[in-house]
Amino acid sequence: MRIIKAKDYSDMSRKAANILGAQVILKPDSVLGLATGSSPIGAYRRLVEGYNKGDLDFSSVFTVNLDEYCGLGADSPQSYRYFMNVNLFDHVNIKKENTHVPNGLESDAEKECARYEALIDRFSGIDMQLLGIGHNGHIGFNEPGAAFETLTHRVALTESTIAANRRFFDREEEVPRWAYTMGIRSIMRAARILIIVSGKEKAPIVKEAFSGAVTPKVPASALQLHGSVTLVGDEDALSLL
Ligand code: GLP
């Protein structure tokens, strides 16, 4: 695992955007695996800047997002499809039909998960997967205990994830209890993985995930088994490594 130390959130975002941008420049028809949450917002902003400056062209890029809440559609401001549109897709020249997020409104979980996994297969895999990490070590919505072999599946969110995501909703009852997520195995099939992390409160989980035991109790620890992972973290997040 290559570890790149950034000064702060802004520096982490710049470094991450440079890596993603380089991927797009070197392979204009890249398949990018994308993530939501607070961590990637700054990197997406930098990618938009790169596009506005004429440095980046997304016209041939494909994207597949990690996860989506069950029950929320593109019109819902808390959905991950909405997040991706407002933070990135609406501001660059990507073709919307080339962007993919699990369909939170599909109630047939088996059908939706099979469709999504087949989509990734059709692309012959993800060139670069961007990841954040949850406080409990989750990646995507693969919560502690998720088997490393899982592909895209529907998952019940843990209380700690519901609490962490509460800030995006008016009331706790509105936070969805279920989500579709790419599985650890789907993530591990990506050719390259870029994980970004910032803030002191993530330092303990960064230490546990990347210098502790590889165990399903800490889903992100699976990344230690991947041959091409770059971790870009700010000083606070890396302070215990
Ligand atoms: C959510 C997402 C994850 C993300 C995590 C951390 O639960 N499903 O993909 O990595 O939150 O989010 P943040 O970057 O806001 O800490």
Side-chain angles (χ1 to χ4, degrees), residues 35-40 66-67 80 132-134 138 140-141 161 165 167 202:
T36 54
S38 319
S39 307
L66 281 169
D67 46 14
Y80 286 169
I133 179 171
H138 74 226
F141 269 132
T161 297
N165 292 345
R167 66 191 195 276
K202 294 270 177 85

Side-chain angles (χ1 to χ4, degrees), residues 28-41:
D29 60 347
S30 284
V31 180
L32 300 180
L34 297 180
T36 54
S38 319
S39 307
I41 291 178

Side-chain angles (χ1 to χ4, degrees), residues 24 63 72 99 104-105 111 115 145 152 173 178 181 187 214 232:
V24 170
T63 66
L72 299 190
T99 67
L105 295 180
K111 181 172 151 206
R115 180 192 74 83
T152 301
E173 308 85 79
W178 295 86
T181 183
I187 294 169
V214 175
V232 182

Side-chain angles (χ1 to χ4, degrees), residues 190-205:
R192 296 204 279 159
I193 291 178
L194 171 62
I195 178 155
I196 54 177
V197 58
S198 82
K200 262 216 158 35
E201 70 287 358
K202 294 270 177 85
I205 195 64

